[in-house]
Amino acid sequence: MNTITRGGERQMETMPAAGGGMSAGSLRWALVDGWTVARRDLIHWANQPMTVVFGVVFPVVITLAFGYLFGGAVEVPEGAGYFAFLMPGMYGMTMLFGLSATMIAVATDVSKGVTDRFRSMPMAPSAVLIGRAVADLLNSVLVLAGLLACGLAVGWRPATFSGALGAVGLLLLLRFSLLWAGMYLGLLTRDFGAVVAVQTLEFPIGFLSNAFVAPGTMPGWLGTIAEWNPLSSTVAAARQLFGNPGWGGDSWVAQHAVAMAVVWPLVITALFFTLSVRLYQRLDR
């Protein structure tokens, strides 16, 4: 079954190619539709700029609070300045905090019927989700850029430009993977009470990592959980690539932080992308 649109050139994107895979044409239209949905979200932000401004300012305020209120009470590894140690942890925490923002946006679209209208159109099932991911990732780039500027303003410096690019790439890769987790949770719950629960859990998950405290100082079992927290791998890798001080560690996961900062997001993305698309297709069942 085909759907003819756009001058008769387009077929229904949900039709699989021979052998059960997605055809090149289907993939192309899925990306085109995804960008259309992403533009819709970007236009909303342009019309409501305070939402974006608050998203940039909030992590900056938290960073300054941590740095100036608690910096003198923390013994930094290698005798470095506190902001040199703090900033990579805050970059990672900011990527984590974006999870609930994505969840809110998806749950809002579902509750207002926007998602149902999208599903009634001849669009690839993944297009709406891809569009949301692209828009939220672009927003995350802006938020991270604001926090990087804050770090530079308070004296934080990366060791090399190439290392900084690598660290930023890993931070955004983590954010991209958490986008899909947020979309799945938004589609699954459709409940703003659940969003509050997720927002509440972001802090324990973030603190149960190496972002602020060395896992070696925690009880054995808790330290192990902290070391295997995906956020810990990204933060440790970012510190390594930025050339900033970190806690180190003798465990396998601590010794291979850069590799795990790639593996964890890829696993999370593969899992939640699949779950999100399947759930999106079955929303009315």
Side-chain angles (χ1 to χ4, degrees):
M1 177 178 177
N2 296 340
T3 297
I4 306 299
T5 60
R6 301 185 189 179
E9 296 179 358
R10 184 178 181 185
Q11 294 181 325
M12 179 68 77
E13 286 81 358
T14 54
M15 178 184 293
M22 177 178 284
S23 68
S26 296
L27 178 59
R28 179 170 66 90
W29 282 118
L31 295 177
V32 170
D33 288 338
W35 175 242
T36 300
V37 175
R39 286 182 57 204
R40 169 247 183 190
D41 295 323
L42 295 176
I43 291 171
H44 282 181
W45 288 330
N47 293 331
Q48 299 175 346
M50 289 309 299
T51 301
V52 178
V53 171
F54 179 79
V56 174
V57 171
F58 178 73
V60 171
V61 172
I62 295 297
T63 298
L64 296 177
F66 269 89
Y68 289 116
L69 295 180
F70 306 119
V74 177
E75 183 177 349
V76 178
E78 304 173 22
Y82 184 63
F83 278 109
F85 163 78
L86 174 67
M87 294 312 301
M90 287 306 306
Y91 299 146
M93 289 286 285
T94 302
M95 298 299 98
L96 171 64
F97 288 161
L99 187 151
S100 60
T102 298
M103 186 177 174
I104 291 172
V106 172
T108 300
D109 280 351
V110 173
S111 65
K112 291 184 176 181
V114 175
T115 301
D116 287 336
R117 289 196 291 273
F118 279 132
R119 294 179 71 246
S120 68
M121 299 177 182
M123 302 171 65
S126 59
V128 175
L129 302 178
I130 290 174
R132 166 56 57 184
V134 170
D136 280 11
L137 188 62
L138 291 175
N139 183 64
S140 298
V141 170
L142 182 61
V143 172
L144 184 57
L147 197 54
L148 286 166
C150 172
L152 293 173
V154 296
W156 167 83
R157 295 291 184 273
T160 65
F161 181 72
S162 59
L165 285 180
V168 169
L170 291 179
L171 288 164
L172 292 176
L173 182 62
L174 176 66
R175 176 70 179 105
F176 184 73
S177 68
L178 294 176
L179 284 172
W180 293 103
M183 282 189 279
Y184 175 72
L185 292 173
L187 292 171
L188 181 67
T189 61
R190 313 176 209 178
D191 180 4
F192 290 99
V195 174
V196 174
V198 171
Q199 288 177 318
T200 303
L201 289 173
E202 282 176 341
F203 279 95
I205 292 173
F207 286 123
L208 188 57
S209 69
N210 62 8
F212 306 109
V213 180
T217 64
M218 304 177 187
W221 63 273
L222 198 61
T224 300
I225 294 175
E227 287 186 327
W228 283 91
N229 184 340
L231 178 63
S232 291
S233 295
T234 297
V235 170
R239 284 179 174 142
Q240 180 179 331
L241 293 172
F242 280 134
N244 296 151
W247 303 114
D250 298 326
S251 66
W252 184 91
V253 68
Q255 293 294 321
H256 298 82
V258 175
M260 292 304 297
V262 175
V263 171
W264 274 124
L266 292 180
V267 171
I268 295 171
T269 300
L271 173 63
F272 284 104
F273 174 82
T274 302
L275 292 174
S276 297
V277 172
R278 289 180 178 176
L279 185 56
Y280 177 83
Q281 293 173 304
R282 300 173 181 173
L283 277 179
D284 56 352
R285 298 182 185 177

